[in-house]
Amino acid sequence: MLASLEGAVTAATLALTAMGLSLVFGVMRVVNVAHGEFYMLGAVIAWFVSTTLGTHPAIGFVGALIVAPVLVGLLAAAADRLILARINYDPERTIVATIGLLYILQQSTLMTFGPDARPVEPPFNSRIALPWWRQGENGLEMFYPWGLATTSYKLFIIVAAVAILIGLWVLLTRTRIGLVMRATQADREMATAFGIPVERVYAMVFGLGAGLAALGAVLIVPVQQAHYLMGADPLLLSFIVVIIGGLGSLPGTIIAALLIGMSDGIISVFFSPTLAKILATLVVAMVLVFRPQGLLGKASA
Amino acid sequence: MTAATRDAALHLGVLTLLAGLWFVLPTYHSGNLARIMVLAVYAMGYNLLFGYTGLLSLGHALFFAAGMYGLAIAMQQGGWSAAPGFLAGLIAALVVSGVAGALALRTTGVAFMIVTLMFAQAGYLTVLYFGAITRGDEGFVIPQAARSLAGIDLTTPANRYFAALILFGAVFLGLAWLVRSPFGRTLIAIRENEARAKMLGYDTHAYKLRAVILSGTISGASGAAYALLFGYAGATFATVQYSIFPLLWVLLGGAGTTIGPLIGAIFMFYLIDLASGVTDAYMLIAGVVLVLLTLFAPQGLAGTLRNRVWPWLP
Amino acid sequence: MTLLSTRNLTKRYAGVLANEAINFDLPQGQIRALIGPNGAGKSTFVGMLSGRIPTTSGSVTFDGKDISALPAHARIALGIAYTFQITSVFAGLSVHENVALAARRRLGRDGAAVDAKVADSLSRVGLADRATQIAGDLSYGHQRILEIAMGLAQDPRLFILDEPTQGLAESEIADFKTLIRSLGGATTILLIEHNMSVVMETAEAITVLSNGTVLADGTPAQIRADPAVQAAYLGTADA
């Protein structure tokens, strides 16, 4: 049970991060290998903002929640204009270029932020014991088992992630921006013919995708710590989620994030984390080999 | 001069130059060059698949590490001598690339890149998982006494340099011949237009699988030689970074040219060597070079030379 | 003797029938034209013969052997050559190498035989003086002719050409007719063609496809006189 609460926290941030990757792949048909570094930048910027503001942790946190995704999104949009647009989003060259971007972002952070892990204080953090039920003398009774406790902040992560995902869903389905994005996804040529500024849409989508990763990181950084190498795991997990959910499918991404996030917590309780990672990696590779439409996708005719 | 003699002159000239450099270079640089020649073998193996067959793998560290640990574990745990140890490394790489290739080749394009990346990641984690034997990131040393071949001590700088040169030369000449052979030309045809090659009656899947296995085994030979000549095996060599390196070398030197991998390995080795003297963040230079290459010189150094100056460059 | 035949060959794309139960027999040595309005299913049909397009049901027999389960490359190896409707040469390689790749699959490592075959194939289509050019630099018409040379270099028993004269100049079309007639007898030819003068002057027999089924089969004279064909096709053809 505790594992699954931890799992829900993982799933919540993973859903945000993976959603960014999935959105970029869905609309632009490119794989962004530097996605994990945008996540890492989100956490590092959160540390800079909260130490600069330096007053109450809550002020720093709110500041980071706004500043980090915006800065990261702008940086990503700039990278899109300067690099990806110039190689015309060729799928293979994009991967090579984003590998380059990965090292540039990661190593620049090492030069400025340094090699140490640094904590960010949560805005609020009270311990909450959660009730559970058991069969007692008078039927079902409620009790507070040892260990089944979480913090208010962790619950907040879950709530916030759900709220952001709902917001994203509204953006994609109910607004003009969403319509333009979906039109571009469906047919780039046609979208251009209808006067949609495809280049600006691509930059925006790339920025939005990176911003979502940064948001996920800002939410999780008070629980973890900011470190220049922290991008690797979210990148791998996001890959797993996006592949299992079916490349580019947004609902599939959310379901897969829940599945992986929850199971990641559960699996690592039973296996050594290394063995769990080996199995997860191989399973994902096999999904791509034998079911490229994703576990949740429909087989094409 | 016919094309064949010009090719032969170029390749033998490069090998003569490398042999001559031993006598003029200071110790520090000839040591570096020995290392570079072994790594260039890795790059040449990668180039066969990426440059000639058109398959972009992001997981070649798996094959390099298979060769490295095949030799190192056979020698360290099994007490084997160098020659059978080297063979164990080759066989390990052959088997691993056969299995990984058969599975990964069911996919194409971006999926192929991700699947190979995942396989290599699983390989790296496997090295960590068996930390009792591999000692993980820390790695282990192969006893100096065992590192000799046919009575020749491979730990002295001169012997090490020429052993590296012999391996490099064999693979360099072998691949130069291979890419001009009917087999190599079929690989190039697959790179250019796989659907057409298939409709000329070539079993393109079988050709690609052979290319993966050959490429993986050459990469494994490099890994095994690295462990043998420099006496060390560690998990670092199985990381994603070591899958990116051959891509970087080949892109920089020129994909699909016989000389490109060596040029790329030399440039990148010294760039990183210089950068690491200045900062811990030396991989920054690798990132910048990757981005600049994709943007401005996708043909690499030798490829650009071939396009602009010497169209005959093999 | 029948070289190629199909029984109930059917292709369905997401529920839409592109080819329905096609029975087709091609005698050894014949030059056969396959005609029909756009969308009649001609390319789908030859795609299934060569193995490029998987069949939904039915069988293909080549030289007495059921080849329905064979992958494309294995069918080509039996002696079928196929030229693409949309030009598909190795754009980055030389004209010589394009044809050599076609010849080498059969002639193997015998370099001299390959070179002789390449020279012969290129001179038959009139591209001999362009052997060293990069295929991608050729004009569209020359790329189409190069495709034909690649087919010739395979010494096929069955040569399938999908709209080979599309995009060719009048003089090139005349040369093409001569070339096809010179191949007749030794090579069995299946020609998808829109140009009626090419069809009428080269084909010994014609099969008409319409809406995915065989509408008529016969000699050029019979087909010309067939009222059903006239109604379905010739009356509306632009040729």
Side-chain angles (χ1 to χ4, degrees), chain C residues 93-136:
Chain C
L93 307 180
S94 73
V95 169
H96 178 280
E97 182 63 17
N98 267 271
V99 184
L101 279 162
R104 214 180 275 129
R105 220 251 332 119
R106 203 172 53 78
L107 299 172
R109 298 189 164 267
D110 186 349
V114 170
D115 284 344
K117 189 80 224 168
V118 172
D120 175 56
S121 306
L122 284 178
S123 66
R124 284 179 82 173
V125 300
L127 279 182
D129 53 336
R130 299 187 185 268
T132 55
Q133 282 190 18
I134 296 299

Side-chain angles (χ1 to χ4, degrees), chain C:
Chain C
M1 193 207 121
T2 304
L3 182 66
L4 176 93
S5 59
T6 69
R7 289 293 170 264
N8 294 317
L9 199 60
T10 300
K11 179 68 189 180
R12 199 176 266 115
Y13 289 111
V16 179
L17 270 177
N19 275 187
E20 189 180 3
I22 295 187
N23 295 317
F24 177 84
D25 291 287
L26 182 57
Q28 173 93 48
Q30 193 181 66
I31 300 177
R32 173 79 62 98
L34 186 63
I35 64 172
N38 282 326
K42 303 184 296 288
S43 287
T44 300
F45 178 65
V46 295
M48 288 195 290
L49 297 183
S50 65
R52 204 167 62 87
I53 298 173
T55 58
T56 306
S57 63
S59 68
V60 182
T61 309
F62 181 73
D63 197 17
K65 191 179 162 202
D66 186 345
I67 59 168
S68 316
L70 291 183
H73 63 85
R75 300 188 193 195
I76 305 296
L78 289 174
I80 299 176
Y82 177 91
T83 68
F84 285 61
Q85 179 181 13
I86 297 158
T87 304
S88 178
V89 296
F90 301 104
L93 307 180
S94 73
V95 169
H96 178 280
E97 182 63 17
N98 267 271
V99 184
L101 279 162
R104 214 180 275 129
R105 220 251 332 119
R106 203 172 53 78
L107 299 172
R109 298 189 164 267
D110 186 349
V114 170
D115 284 344
K117 189 80 224 168
V118 172
D120 175 56
S121 306
L122 284 178
S123 66
R124 284 179 82 173
V125 300
L127 279 182
D129 53 336
R130 299 187 185 268
T132 55
Q133 282 190 18
I134 296 299
D137 296 344
L138 294 179
S139 69
Y140 179 76
H142 281 146
Q143 290 192 20
R144 301 236 45 143
I145 294 171
L146 173 59
E147 282 255 9
I148 296 166
M150 290 162 75
L152 292 178
Q154 296 175 69
D155 275 337
R157 299 174 62 197
L158 170 63
F159 194 177
I160 302 173
L161 296 116
D162 197 346
E163 299 199 18
T165 63
Q166 190 194 52
L168 293 195
E170 278 306 318
S171 65
E172 290 168 334
I173 291 179
D175 291 344
F176 176 77
K177 289 177 194 165
T178 315
L179 176 70
I180 291 298
R181 279 194 293 259
S182 76
L183 292 172
T187 309
T188 312
I189 293 174
L190 179 59
L191 184 65
I192 295 185
E193 192 49 75
H194 274 304
N195 184 323
M196 279 303 137
S197 85
V198 173
V199 172
M200 292 301 169
E201 288 171 43
T202 59
E204 294 154 14
I206 298 176
T207 296
V208 185
L209 279 191
S210 180
N211 292 324
T213 57
V214 176
L215 184 69
D217 246 330
T219 64
Q222 286 169 336
I223 294 298
R224 230 190 303 235
D226 191 320
V229 174
Q230 286 176 351
Y233 181 65
L234 293 180
T236 59
D238 51 357

Side-chain angles (χ1 to χ4, degrees), chain A residues 163-176 178 182:
Chain A
I164 292 167
L165 286 172
I166 292 174
L168 182 68
W169 181 76
V170 170
L171 176 79
L172 289 177
T173 55
R174 297 292 150 89
T175 66
R176 205 187 123 66
R182 280 180 291 136

Side-chain angles (χ1 to χ4, degrees), chain A:
Chain A
M1 182 61 197
L2 185 64
S4 62
L5 252 175
E6 292 293 317
V9 174
T10 313
T13 50
L14 184 55
L16 288 180
T17 313
M19 202 53 140
L21 193 68
S22 185
L23 196 64
V24 167
F25 184 84
V27 177
M28 302 164 67
R29 294 279 137 193
V30 297
V31 176
N32 174 18
V33 185
H35 195 66
E37 305 314 308
F38 290 128
Y39 175 93
M40 176 275 291
L41 277 184
V44 167
I45 292 173
W47 179 85
F48 272 116
V49 170
S50 63
T51 38
T52 314
L53 290 181
T55 51
H56 188 271
I59 296 172
F61 180 78
V62 172
L65 214 47
I66 296 162
V67 173
V70 169
L71 269 185
V72 170
L74 287 177
L75 183 73
D80 172 83
R81 295 285 76 210
L82 286 175
I83 304 171
L84 302 192
R86 285 174 192 231
I87 55 175
N88 211 15
Y89 304 98
D90 174 273
E92 296 200 345
R93 287 173 74 194
T94 297
I95 291 200
V96 176
T98 52
I99 290 172
L101 196 58
L102 178 160
Y103 282 119
I104 293 176
L105 296 177
Q106 181 198 79
Q107 301 287 313
S108 307
T109 308
L110 172 61
M111 290 172 85
T112 49
F113 179 76
D116 303 321
R118 298 172 197 222
V120 173
E121 241 184 283
F124 49 87
N125 200 12
S126 53
R127 206 171 162 73
I128 301 174
L130 291 179
W132 192 236
W133 290 269
R134 69 176 159 198
Q135 196 68 35
E137 287 156 15
N138 312 316
L140 220 54
E141 62 181 31
M142 206 163 81
F143 78 116
Y144 295 88
W146 183 84
L148 190 62
T150 185
T151 61
S152 54
Y153 182 71
K154 283 185 179 173
L155 289 178
F156 167 76
I157 294 181
I158 299 170
V159 173
V162 171
I164 292 167
L165 286 172
I166 292 174
L168 182 68
W169 181 76
V170 170
L171 176 79
L172 289 177
T173 55
R174 297 292 150 89
T175 66
R176 205 187 123 66
I177 294 177
L179 181 71
V180 163
M181 273 159 63
R182 280 180 291 136
T184 311
Q185 169 171 13
D187 189 334
R188 183 181 171 180
E189 311 281 305
M190 195 61 93
T192 314
F194 275 102
I196 291 174
V198 170
E199 295 193 340
R200 289 228 304 274
V201 174
Y202 274 19
M204 194 180 72
V205 168
F206 204 69
L208 181 61
L212 281 170
L215 257 179
V218 176
L219 286 177
I220 201 77
V221 76
V223 181
Q224 296 183 343
Q225 288 189 328
H227 185 249
Y228 82 104
L229 288 175
M230 72 189 293
D233 277 352
L235 176 69
L236 185 67
L237 284 172
S238 300
F239 262 149
I240 294 177
V241 164
V242 171
I243 289 165
I244 300 235
L247 289 169
S249 150
L250 300 188
T253 303
I254 297 208
I255 298 170
L258 280 171
L259 214 71
I260 301 294
M262 305 297 273
S263 63
D264 189 55
I266 295 164
I267 290 172
S268 49
V269 173
F270 292 108
F271 296 104
S272 83
T274 313
L275 189 57
K277 274 190 192 167
I278 294 175
L279 291 177
T281 317
L282 286 179
V283 164
V284 171
M286 292 306 154
V287 168
L288 260 182
V289 169
F290 293 104
R291 255 191 91 81
Q293 71 276 24
L295 280 184
L296 305 166
K298 288 196 195 88
S300 58

Side-chain angles (χ1 to χ4, degrees), chain B residues 36-270:
Chain B
I36 289 170
M37 285 189 288
V38 173
L39 294 175
V41 170
Y42 183 20
M44 288 190 289
Y46 188 84
N47 189 32
L48 179 67
L49 196 64
F50 171 58
Y52 288 98
T53 320
L55 289 170
L56 205 165
S57 149
L58 291 179
H60 258 50
L62 181 65
F63 311 138
F64 185 84
M68 171 173 267
Y69 280 103
L71 173 132
I73 291 173
M75 288 183 74
Q76 170 84 356
Q77 302 279 320
W80 295 19
S81 61
F86 193 75
L87 197 64
L90 286 188
I91 291 172
L94 184 114
V95 171
V96 170
S97 55
V99 174
L103 289 168
L105 283 175
R106 293 177 56 102
T107 65
T108 52
V110 168
F112 180 82
M113 299 165 80
I114 295 175
V115 167
T116 49
L117 181 73
M118 295 274 175
F119 280 154
Q121 185 64 16
Y124 167 66
L125 292 166
T126 306
V127 171
L128 294 187
Y129 186 68
F130 291 102
I133 298 169
T134 63
R135 305 190 53 99
D137 285 325
E138 194 186 313
F140 60 91
V141 168
I142 298 165
Q144 194 162 358
R147 287 161 52 207
S148 71
L149 202 61
I152 299 166
D153 178 6
L154 292 177
T155 60
T156 72
N159 291 353
R160 183 152 69 185
Y161 186 90
F162 284 97
L165 179 62
I166 287 169
L167 177 72
F168 173 83
V171 174
F172 186 56
L173 295 177
L175 284 180
W177 168 80
L178 186 88
V179 299
R180 293 275 192 206
S181 75
F183 176 75
R185 281 159 189 266
T186 308
L187 295 186
I188 294 172
I190 291 172
R191 176 190 76 195
E192 291 290 315
N193 187 343
E194 183 176 353
R196 193 68 181 102
K198 203 180 277 172
M199 293 311 287
L200 287 179
Y202 293 102
D203 184 352
T204 53
H205 183 269
Y207 274 92
K208 288 194 291 184
L209 182 57
R210 277 178 253 166
V212 171
I213 292 176
L214 195 54
S215 165
T217 308
I218 294 172
S219 305
S222 168
Y226 199 95
L228 182 62
L229 296 179
F230 305 103
Y232 169 79
T236 325
F237 294 104
T239 53
V240 178
Q241 191 167 321
Y242 268 81
S243 288
I244 304 297
F245 274 140
L247 171 67
L248 195 57
W249 296 326
V250 168
L251 273 177
L252 177 60
T257 66
T258 52
I259 187 82
L262 176 69
I263 297 177
I266 293 175
F267 267 86
M268 218 48 233
F269 188 94
Y270 274 100

